[in-house]
Amino acid sequence: MVEVTIYFHHDGEWLTSPELHYDRGCVTYWKGYDPDLISFIDLVNEYINKLGFVGVQELIELAPTGKYFEIIGDEGVRTLTSFISTKYKSIHLFATEDCELSVDVTDIIMHDGSFLLSPIVNEGTDCSESEDDSTNGMVFSCSDYDTDELENFVTKKKRNITDSLQDYKEIVKGMAFKDIAEAKQFCKLYALAKKVELVVVKSDKKRLRYTCVANGCPFLLLIFGDLTTPGVSVKTLVDHIECGTAYDNSLVDYSTIALYFKDKLQRSDIVIDLSKEALSNGKRKFLRMYICFKAMKLGFKSRLRPLIGLDAWAVVDKKTKRTWTWFMQHLQHSLELQNGEGLTFISDMQKGLLKAVRTVLPEAHQRYYARHIEANWCKR
């Protein structure tokens, strides 16, 4: 079996001149990976969960010929892995984020047979590669900049998105960003953290200029790059002067809100089960899913009324009795319930549900919706 190394390129920029290529950026990788285990959702999740993408619009592969192909779903992945051999065992992946412009490339299943015609040699970049086993990652370092200088720049720009957005409350002259896209994202979170409304005066691939909409506020922010340092930085800054709180903020879009709440949502309990039968046949098939949001857990544990309503139609397939036991076990874990003493479940009279409650939480009370009680009376 041929094992592959999958490189995930990120934090670079798509350029179309003189031809389509991905400029600069960083790379992480999976080494010694079984190609039979590669799935589309796992590749997408690497970008979302590990590399901070809000969502993946396109997943793109760079062929040895230097041509880019889009990978769509597991069918696209199977087409890609069909080329794996002792001569082709390094997969270079790229992605466009939901909030970015899409890249016009061919679907890999529509390839013309030239995917492996020739190896790529310095295609579209003057960057060199260097591996670092201690960090299990790889960084492209461009000849224009010193490697140590680039690493210091990358470290300096890291900011954490917390509830208070503390790392986004201040802008100082000389503050550096990897590129204009990152500077835009920072300014959106800055506007959210400071409760001010900024307006974009100029925005292109090289420059950004913002002012404040508050009447009489002199705020001015100018960001652009030069040849002395990588990326872009704040060149001109005139700060706010008591411009008040803005309750309308058109600069903060849906992607910014998603980025702010992303970590909070990911701290929810989420369990996804796949079909064992499908896995035994080499396929991945969704079976069932359990979600318990953090706010629900905190609310229940804050001594709110110990009552939980269950709906067999909305939560699970009522024909699958085992699913209710599976669900109750995860509910017990999320809410840190013991034997259910003092807790009341209200539900319909679905037999699998009732049995699951008695099995997992034997001390819990069970009550029924009035509509179902009335329906049973009418039957009798």
Side-chain angles (χ1 to χ4, degrees):
M1 180 188 68
V2 178
E3 293 183 338
V4 300
T5 300
I6 306 175
Y7 296 96
F8 296 88
H9 297 252
H10 59 97
D11 291 335
E13 180 182 11
W14 286 102
L15 300 179
T16 56
S17 179
E19 59 186 9
L20 182 66
H21 66 282
Y22 195 76
D23 189 48
R24 300 182 181 172
C26 300
V27 179
T28 59
Y29 63 85
W30 295 349
K31 193 171 184 179
Y33 203 80
D34 184 347
D36 292 335
L37 299 180
I38 299 174
S39 73
F40 180 77
I41 191 63
D42 289 340
L43 300 178
V44 168
N45 282 341
E46 180 70 10
Y47 277 100
I48 295 175
N49 297 333
K50 299 293 180 63
L51 302 180
F53 278 48
V54 174
V56 171
Q57 180 183 176
E58 296 170 302
L59 186 64
I60 298 169
E61 153 69 4
L62 175 62
T65 56
K67 187 175 181 180
Y68 292 93
F69 292 90
E70 183 177 4
I71 309 297
I72 302 177
D74 284 332
E75 184 178 3
V77 170
R78 287 194 295 271
T79 303
L80 173 64
T81 56
S82 68
F83 296 111
I84 299 298
S85 67
T86 54
K87 293 183 178 180
Y88 176 65
K89 52 184 180 180
S90 294
I91 298 174
H92 287 268
L93 295 179
F94 306 79
T96 59
E97 203 161 3
D98 279 344
C99 53
E100 293 181 305
L101 293 176
S102 61
V103 179
D104 186 18
V105 293
T106 305
D107 187 338
I108 194 170
I109 64 174
M110 305 297 292
H111 71 91
D112 58 6
S114 61
F115 189 88
L116 295 175
L117 280 183
S118 60
I120 181 172
V121 179
N122 295 330
E123 181 67 28
T125 180
D126 59 353
C127 298
S128 59
E129 301 179 14
S130 61
E131 290 196 20
D132 183 355
D133 291 335
S134 64
T135 58
N136 194 32
M138 183 174 70
V139 176
F140 277 13
S141 58
C142 296
S143 58
D144 291 347
Y145 307 113
D146 178 76
T147 303
D148 292 334
E149 178 187 8
L150 188 65
E151 180 62 28
N152 289 336
F153 167 75
V154 171
T155 302
K156 182 171 62 176
K157 74 179 180 64
K158 290 181 179 178
R159 303 174 182 94
N160 296 318
I161 299 178
T162 59
D163 288 349
S164 63
L165 291 175
Q166 190 62 42
D167 291 348
Y168 293 86
K169 286 189 174 181
E170 299 297 332
I171 298 178
V172 296
K173 191 173 181 179
M175 180 179 283
F177 306 96
K178 177 177 62 65
D179 51 25
I180 288 294
E182 184 184 76
K184 284 182 178 179
Q185 190 63 71
F186 175 88
C187 290
K188 292 176 182 179
L189 290 168
Y190 168 81
L192 184 63
K194 295 287 285 187
K195 299 185 173 105
V196 295
E197 185 172 6
L198 305 183
V199 62
V200 180
V201 178
K202 185 174 184 62
S203 175
D204 56 35
K205 291 185 177 180
K206 297 180 180 179
R207 290 166 293 181
L208 272 178
R209 183 181 297 154
Y210 292 92
T211 60
C212 180
V213 301
N215 190 24
C217 181
F219 179 83
L220 175 65
L221 175 63
L222 179 61
I223 300 173
F224 61 88
D226 54 41
L227 297 178
T228 61
T229 57
V232 297
S233 60
V234 175
K235 302 297 185 182
T236 302
L237 176 64
V238 179
D239 210 348
H240 300 274
I241 298 180
E242 297 182 1
C243 54
T245 299
Y247 295 99
D248 292 321
N249 202 331
S250 58
L251 192 67
V252 179
D253 55 14
Y254 75 92
S255 62
T256 307
I257 298 298
L259 193 62
Y260 178 70
F261 284 105
K262 179 182 176 183
D263 287 341
K264 298 176 181 62
L265 290 175
Q266 288 181 342
R267 288 197 292 266
S268 307
D269 288 348
I270 300 178
V271 181
I272 299 177
D273 263 18
L274 302 180
S275 168
K276 291 183 180 179
E277 182 180 352
L279 287 173
S280 65
N281 294 323
K283 298 181 180 179
R284 295 162 63 91
K285 181 180 179 182
F286 172 81
L287 180 63
R288 54 198 170 197
M289 179 169 62
Y290 168 86
I291 300 175
C292 184
F293 292 113
K294 185 180 181 182
M296 295 169 62
K297 290 191 288 184
L298 292 178
F300 189 84
K301 292 177 183 179
S302 298
R303 299 187 181 278
L304 296 181
R305 184 181 238 178
L307 175 70
I308 296 177
L310 300 174
D311 187 337
W313 287 101
V315 181
V316 296
D317 176 1
K318 70 176 195 174
K319 295 181 180 178
T320 309
K321 294 181 180 179
R322 288 182 56 196
T323 300
W324 271 116
T325 302
W326 175 88
F327 169 79
M328 291 301 303
Q329 288 169 341
H330 287 295
L331 184 67
Q332 180 188 34
H333 173 75
S334 294
L335 303 183
E336 298 179 5
L337 306 172
Q338 298 301 321
N339 56 10
E341 186 176 357
L343 180 63
T344 299
F345 286 95
I346 182 169
S347 67
D348 62 15
M349 298 181 181
Q350 208 271 321
K351 293 181 180 179
L353 185 160
L354 302 179
K355 183 179 179 181
V357 173
R358 288 194 297 267
T359 301
V360 179
L361 300 168
E363 298 297 323
H365 302 283
Q366 296 190 54
R367 297 293 182 267
Y368 311 112
Y369 295 120
R371 183 175 67 83
H372 295 287
I373 296 174
E374 188 266 346
N376 284 344
W377 280 346
C378 290
K379 286 181 182 178
R380 296 172 185 174

